Amino acid sequence: MADAGSLPADPNITVDWRAEAEVPLLLSFPHSGSTYPEDFGYDASLPFNVVDYPSDKYVDELFSGGAALGLSSIRANFPRAYIDVNRHQHDIDGAMLEEPELWYGRMQPTGLRDGTTLFWSQAKETALYDRKLSHAEAKKRLATCHVIYHQALTGMVETTRRKHGAVVVLDCHSMMKFDTTAQGGRARPEVDIGTRRGESCDPALAARLVECFERRGYDVGLNRRFAGGEITLRYGWPEIDQHLLQIELRRDLYMDEETRLRNDRFDAVREDCSDILSEFRQFVSARQQSRRNNGDREHEEMENTNG
């Protein structure tokens, strides 16, 4: 398999690959893109803050300290509403397409009520389009954004796992302060760690990440609001020492949800995220060293027994 660092540059994603990384910890930013494609074609009468509302704005900046720690990362450059790489490619609302009965793939939509399928149809309970998507443009978005992102992330994950025998991915997101009206309008925790209810990672990794945030004063949930999306499901396989943890930061911690501007706590939250990354990196490193030591002891015991 080709090294992830040899992947060709693509305008729709930004890959910061650290081939010599000493710790098998990767960062994923699937929803922080701010480059709006010319063919988006959303309803031009909508205010930009409505169209941009689904995006996890600034999250990549909050975790930018990962670069100084030598951590590889991947970022989608396109906005989440254009196409959501944290949705399965079959998660399509047929009502959004011209002649949906002729679509070449399956349609298994999961977010029809609030319009959060592969191609978002709503934001802030407002329709994003005043038209239908053609098959050609929908397939182009899949090919040039969804496929590209997952091929690159797959390469990074597999290369890291083969080199180190394990890999841990932090999939970084943001969330609104309150659930939507349809969801009951409840307040969410300041941070929510999603692990598919314990299925996508070693519980010790999740416990340490929760502890890192709690020690800095954050109200933290574990699978309390978001258990994880397609990325968590696709890449979280602790059975082969491949671990995925989804991080959701509540937006009001660092930005104004309506204006989409940074607030006066932004720098403090970014500093906390950098410190948390550093601490969690040390934990992953120690975990790897312990596993290597145990492996060496088992090998030595086997040799002594055979000898």
Side-chain angles (χ1 to χ4, degrees), residues 217-229:
Y218 293 94
D219 169 32
V220 186
L222 179 60
N223 300 300
R224 193 193 306 178
R225 182 57 189 83
F226 294 102

PDB file of all heavy atoms in Angstrom, residues 217-229:
ATOM      1  N   GLY A 217     -12.374  21.885  33.867  1.00  0.00           N
ATOM      2  CA  GLY A 217     -13.607  22.532  34.253  1.00  0.00           C
ATOM      3  C   GLY A 217     -14.776  22.389  33.307  1.00  0.00           C
ATOM      4  O   GLY A 217     -15.818  23.035  33.497  1.00  0.00           O
ATOM      5  N   TYR A 218     -14.664  21.552  32.286  1.00  0.00           N
ATOM      6  CA  TYR A 218     -15.752  21.396  31.326  1.00  0.00           C
ATOM      7  C   TYR A 218     -16.761  20.347  31.793  1.00  0.00           C
ATOM      8  O   TYR A 218     -16.399  19.342  32.411  1.00  0.00           O
ATOM      9  CB  TYR A 218     -15.205  20.976  29.959  1.00  0.00           C
ATOM     10  CG  TYR A 218     -14.371  22.049  29.298  1.00  0.00           C
ATOM     11  CD1 TYR A 218     -12.979  22.074  29.445  1.00  0.00           C
ATOM     12  CD2 TYR A 218     -14.960  23.040  28.510  1.00  0.00           C
ATOM     13  CE1 TYR A 218     -12.206  23.053  28.841  1.00  0.00           C
ATOM     14  CE2 TYR A 218     -14.195  24.021  27.898  1.00  0.00           C
ATOM     15  CZ  TYR A 218     -12.818  24.033  28.073  1.00  0.00           C
ATOM     16  OH  TYR A 218     -12.051  25.009  27.473  1.00  0.00           O
ATOM     17  N   ASP A 219     -18.027  20.608  31.487  1.00  0.00           N
ATOM     18  CA  ASP A 219     -19.090  19.615  31.701  1.00  0.00           C
ATOM     19  C   ASP A 219     -19.031  18.648  30.516  1.00  0.00           C
ATOM     20  O   ASP A 219     -19.286  19.038  29.377  1.00  0.00           O
ATOM     21  CB  ASP A 219     -20.449  20.320  31.752  1.00  0.00           C
ATOM     22  CG  ASP A 219     -21.617  19.347  31.713  1.00  0.00           C
ATOM     23  OD1 ASP A 219     -21.468  18.232  32.240  1.00  0.00           O
ATOM     24  OD2 ASP A 219     -22.658  19.700  31.124  1.00  0.00           O
ATOM     25  N   VAL A 220     -18.686  17.402  30.795  1.00  0.00           N
ATOM     26  CA  VAL A 220     -18.394  16.442  29.730  1.00  0.00           C
ATOM     27  C   VAL A 220     -19.374  15.280  29.755  1.00  0.00           C
ATOM     28  O   VAL A 220     -19.653  14.697  30.812  1.00  0.00           O
ATOM     29  CB  VAL A 220     -16.954  15.884  29.859  1.00  0.00           C
ATOM     30  CG1 VAL A 220     -16.615  15.011  28.655  1.00  0.00           C
ATOM     31  CG2 VAL A 220     -15.944  17.023  29.989  1.00  0.00           C
ATOM     32  N   GLY A 221     -19.890  14.946  28.590  1.00  0.00           N
ATOM     33  CA  GLY A 221     -20.718  13.767  28.439  1.00  0.00           C
ATOM     34  C   GLY A 221     -19.973  12.694  27.670  1.00  0.00           C
ATOM     35  O   GLY A 221     -19.078  12.991  26.875  1.00  0.00           O
ATOM     36  N   LEU A 222     -20.318  11.452  27.936  1.00  0.00           N
ATOM     37  CA  LEU A 222     -19.775  10.321  27.176  1.00  0.00           C
ATOM     38  C   LEU A 222     -20.949   9.634  26.502  1.00  0.00           C
ATOM     39  O   LEU A 222     -21.777   9.016  27.172  1.00  0.00           O
ATOM     40  CB  LEU A 222     -19.031   9.356  28.105  1.00  0.00           C
ATOM     41  CG  LEU A 222     -18.421   8.112  27.438  1.00  0.00           C
ATOM     42  CD1 LEU A 222     -17.398   8.508  26.375  1.00  0.00           C
ATOM     43  CD2 LEU A 222     -17.772   7.211  28.490  1.00  0.00           C
ATOM     44  N   ASN A 223     -21.045   9.806  25.176  1.00  0.00           N
ATOM     45  CA  ASN A 223     -22.188   9.296  24.407  1.00  0.00           C
ATOM     46  C   ASN A 223     -23.516   9.845  24.937  1.00  0.00           C
ATOM     47  O   ASN A 223     -24.556   9.219  24.784  1.00  0.00           O
ATOM     48  CB  ASN A 223     -22.218   7.759  24.430  1.00  0.00           C
ATOM     49  CG  ASN A 223     -20.978   7.144  23.833  1.00  0.00           C
ATOM     50  OD1 ASN A 223     -20.652   7.356  22.679  1.00  0.00           O
ATOM     51  ND2 ASN A 223     -20.250   6.387  24.651  1.00  0.00           N
ATOM     52  N   ARG A 224     -23.459  11.030  25.560  1.00  0.00           N
ATOM     53  CA  ARG A 224     -24.668  11.592  26.147  1.00  0.00           C
ATOM     54  C   ARG A 224     -25.574  12.203  25.073  1.00  0.00           C
ATOM     55  O   ARG A 224     -26.785  12.132  25.165  1.00  0.00           O
ATOM     56  CB  ARG A 224     -24.314  12.650  27.183  1.00  0.00           C
ATOM     57  CG  ARG A 224     -25.507  13.051  28.062  1.00  0.00           C
ATOM     58  CD  ARG A 224     -25.275  14.308  28.880  1.00  0.00           C
ATOM     59  NE  ARG A 224     -24.064  14.247  29.697  1.00  0.00           N
ATOM     60  CZ  ARG A 224     -23.667  15.273  30.454  1.00  0.00           C
ATOM     61  NH1 ARG A 224     -24.367  16.414  30.481  1.00  0.00           N
ATOM     62  NH2 ARG A 224     -22.555  15.169  31.154  1.00  0.00           N
ATOM     63  N   ARG A 225     -24.937  12.826  24.053  1.00  0.00           N
ATOM     64  CA  ARG A 225     -25.748  13.458  23.020  1.00  0.00           C
ATOM     65  C   ARG A 225     -25.455  12.901  21.630  1.00  0.00           C
ATOM     66  O   ARG A 225     -26.348  12.689  20.836  1.00  0.00           O
ATOM     67  CB  ARG A 225     -25.506  14.981  23.047  1.00  0.00           C
ATOM     68  CG  ARG A 225     -26.346  15.755  22.038  1.00  0.00           C
ATOM     69  CD  ARG A 225     -27.835  15.480  22.249  1.00  0.00           C
ATOM     70  NE  ARG A 225     -28.659  16.045  21.175  1.00  0.00           N
ATOM     71  CZ  ARG A 225     -28.876  15.455  20.003  1.00  0.00           C
ATOM     72  NH1 ARG A 225     -28.308  14.290  19.730  1.00  0.00           N
ATOM     73  NH2 ARG A 225     -29.653  16.018  19.111  1.00  0.00           N
ATOM     74  N   PHE A 226     -24.183  12.671  21.327  1.00  0.00           N
ATOM     75  CA  PHE A 226     -23.801  12.133  20.015  1.00  0.00           C
ATOM     76  C   PHE A 226     -22.887  10.929  20.207  1.00  0.00           C
ATOM     77  O   PHE A 226     -21.795  11.055  20.754  1.00  0.00           O
ATOM     78  CB  PHE A 226     -23.076  13.194  19.171  1.00  0.00           C
ATOM     79  CG  PHE A 226     -23.948  14.362  18.786  1.00  0.00           C
ATOM     80  CD1 PHE A 226     -23.854  15.565  19.453  1.00  0.00           C
ATOM     81  CD2 PHE A 226     -24.867  14.239  17.756  1.00  0.00           C
ATOM     82  CE1 PHE A 226     -24.656  16.642  19.104  1.00  0.00           C
ATOM     83  CE2 PHE A 226     -25.678  15.312  17.395  1.00  0.00           C
ATOM     84  CZ  PHE A 226     -25.569  16.518  18.074  1.00  0.00           C
ATOM     85  N   ALA A 227     -23.340   9.777  19.752  1.00  0.00           N
ATOM     86  CA  ALA A 227     -22.537   8.562  19.893  1.00  0.00           C
ATOM     87  C   ALA A 227     -21.503   8.420  18.784  1.00  0.00           C
ATOM     88  O   ALA A 227     -20.583   7.606  18.891  1.00  0.00           O
ATOM     89  CB  ALA A 227     -23.435   7.330  19.911  1.00  0.00           C
ATOM     90  N   GLY A 228     -21.653   9.217  17.726  1.00  0.00           N
ATOM     91  CA  GLY A 228     -20.711   9.129  16.609  1.00  0.00           C
ATOM     92  C   GLY A 228     -21.435   8.868  15.309  1.00  0.00           C
ATOM     93  O   GLY A 228     -22.490   8.218  15.290  1.00  0.00           O
ATOM     94  N   GLY A 229     -20.873   9.386  14.220  1.00  0.00           N
ATOM     95  CA  GLY A 229     -21.489   9.239  12.912  1.00  0.00           C
ATOM     96  C   GLY A 229     -20.805   8.205  12.045  1.00  0.00           C
ATOM     97  O   GLY A 229     -20.216   7.228  12.538  1.00  0.00           O
TER      98      GLY A 229
END
